[in-house]
Amino acid sequence: MTYTFKLSRRIASNHRTRLAALSLLLAACGAQSPTSSTPVTPQPAVTAGWLTVQLTTPRTDDGAVQVSVSGPGVDSASVTGYDGFSVVANASADMVVTGALTSGTIARVHLRDLSRTGDVRATIAAAAARGSYTLQDLTGYRVVLVR
C-alpha cells in the first residue's frame, strides 16, 4: 500500500467518526430538549414607584409619631407635610414625624418594584403628645400604605 492510499483511508475514517458524532448530537437535540427553539416567555417589567404612608390617629394632641416600613425593595423614604426625618437601611425605613399631627398623609416610601407592595408592612412604634412628648397608648392608631 502506498502512503497516499493509507492517508486517504485515515481521513475517510476520521470523517465517518465526525459524521457519527454530529448525528448523535443532532438526535439529542429533539423537540423536547432544553436546546430546542421554544419561545421564551418574557418577564414583566419591574416598575419602581412611591407608596404614601397614611396615619389614622384617635387623638387631637399628637406631636410626634415613629413609623417603620419594611419589605423587599424599600430604598428611600421622606416625611411629607410635617417636620421629621427618615433613615433607610436593610430594606427598612424608620421615620420620626413631628408637628401638629392629624390623620392623613405623613410620608412617602419608594419601592424598587411596586408589584411587591403586598409584601411591605408599616407599623407604628410610638406616638407622643404635643408639648409634653408623653408617650401615648397606641390603641386606635393605624398606619396604611397607599399606592
Side-chain angles (χ1 to χ4, degrees):
M1 282 192 195
T2 65
Y3 176 75
T4 308
F5 181 73
K6 288 180 184 178
L7 183 60
S8 65
R9 284 183 64 191
R10 185 176 295 156
I11 290 173
S13 172
N14 284 341
H15 179 68
R16 275 188 237 124
T17 304
R18 287 185 193 141
L19 185 60
L22 182 60
S23 297
L24 288 173
L25 179 64
L26 289 175
C29 294
Q32 300 300 322
S33 74
T35 58
S36 67
S37 59
T38 57
V40 176
T41 306
Q43 296 296 322
V46 174
T47 303
W50 292 92
L51 297 179
T52 302
V53 181
Q54 294 183 343
L55 172 71
T56 301
T57 175
R59 304 190 185 281
T60 58
D61 66 337
D62 286 325
V65 67
Q66 180 182 357
V67 176
S68 294
V69 178
S70 61
V74 173
D75 68 359
S76 63
S78 63
V79 174
T80 58
Y82 296 100
D83 292 329
F85 64 91
S86 62
V87 176
V88 179
N90 300 324
S92 180
D94 293 311
M95 297 168 274
V96 174
V97 183
T98 62
L101 300 178
T102 59
S103 293
T105 300
I106 59 170
R108 295 180 345 143
V109 177
H110 190 266
L111 296 183
R112 287 187 213 110
D113 184 1
L114 284 175
S115 70
R116 304 288 307 267
T117 300
D119 298 330
V120 179
R121 300 285 178 250
T123 57
I124 297 176
R130 188 173 32 244
S132 68
Y133 290 102
T134 304
L135 290 178
Q136 308 277 41
D137 177 19
L138 295 180
T139 303
Y141 283 87
R142 190 173 75 138
V143 65
V144 294
L145 299 170
V146 180
R147 190 166 173 185

